[in-house]
Amino acid sequence: MDQSGAQILLQSLEKKNKLLDQMILQNSVQEEILKQEEFDMDAFDAAIDQQSAYIEQLDKLDLGFESVYDRVREELIENKDRYRNEITGMKEQIQQITDKIVTLNAGNMRNKMLAENQFKKKRQEIGSGASKNRVARNYYNNMNNLNYVSPQFYDNKK
């Protein structure tokens, strides 16, 4: 194996690291949207779509990394001294990636709770609106019947 296999693995990890930085930033954007008093569903949908695109890119990077690693694993194990710098760089990148994944998961959990609160608030507003409509309809029906006087001298017999 030439140096390029180890270099490709290192570059893949660096790309994954940068992509995780973007995902953490996107997670912060989602958090800001969810913290707003007036919930903007369109902005939230756009943020979720962007996050989905990042996840797809991340999956592709993982598949590519695994594919290359499967091809060069034996060479890396047999020649550890020869690839010491690359292996050290990969270890550092993997540690950073692990830390970022923990940060990302914590942010996702916070956003999930915020989203549940926003959705609960919207459901209550919808329920309150339905209740107000029902009260208004009952009031209208009662007011219409207020001036109605049923016939007093009406013979029901035929």
Side-chain angles (χ1 to χ4, degrees), residues 3-20 57-58 60-62 64-65 68 85-91 93-94 96-97:
Q3 289 286 91
S4 65
Q7 289 294 326
I8 290 171
L9 291 175
L10 187 59
Q11 289 172 357
S12 176
L13 290 172
E14 289 170 354
K15 287 179 183 178
K16 184 173 183 177
N17 211 340
K18 289 177 184 176
L19 187 59
L20 285 171
Q57 291 176 4
L58 197 60
K60 288 178 184 176
L61 281 173
D62 285 343
F65 182 87
V68 172
N85 291 338
E86 288 85 358
I87 292 172
T88 303
M90 284 186 257
K91 285 180 180 179
Q93 290 293 323
I94 290 171
Q96 290 175 8
I97 287 168

Side-chain angles (χ1 to χ4, degrees), residues 12-73:
S12 176
L13 290 172
E14 289 170 354
K15 287 179 183 178
K16 184 173 183 177
N17 211 340
K18 289 177 184 176
L19 187 59
L20 285 171
D21 285 336
Q22 292 173 336
M23 290 177 75
I24 290 170
L25 182 62
Q26 188 63 34
N27 215 5
S28 298
V29 169
Q30 290 175 10
E31 185 175 356
E32 290 300 316
I33 292 169
L34 289 167
K35 284 183 176 179
Q36 292 176 356
E37 190 65 32
E38 187 62 35
F39 183 63
D40 185 2
M41 191 61 163
D42 293 333
F44 186 68
D45 282 342
I48 293 294
D49 290 343
Q50 183 62 47
Q51 192 82 348
S52 296
Y54 288 149
I55 290 171
E56 287 177 17
Q57 291 176 4
L58 197 60
D59 288 342
K60 288 178 184 176
L61 281 173
D62 285 343
L63 287 174
F65 182 87
E66 290 174 14
S67 172
V68 172
Y69 182 74
D70 288 342
R71 284 187 293 150
V72 299
R73 174 182 25 212

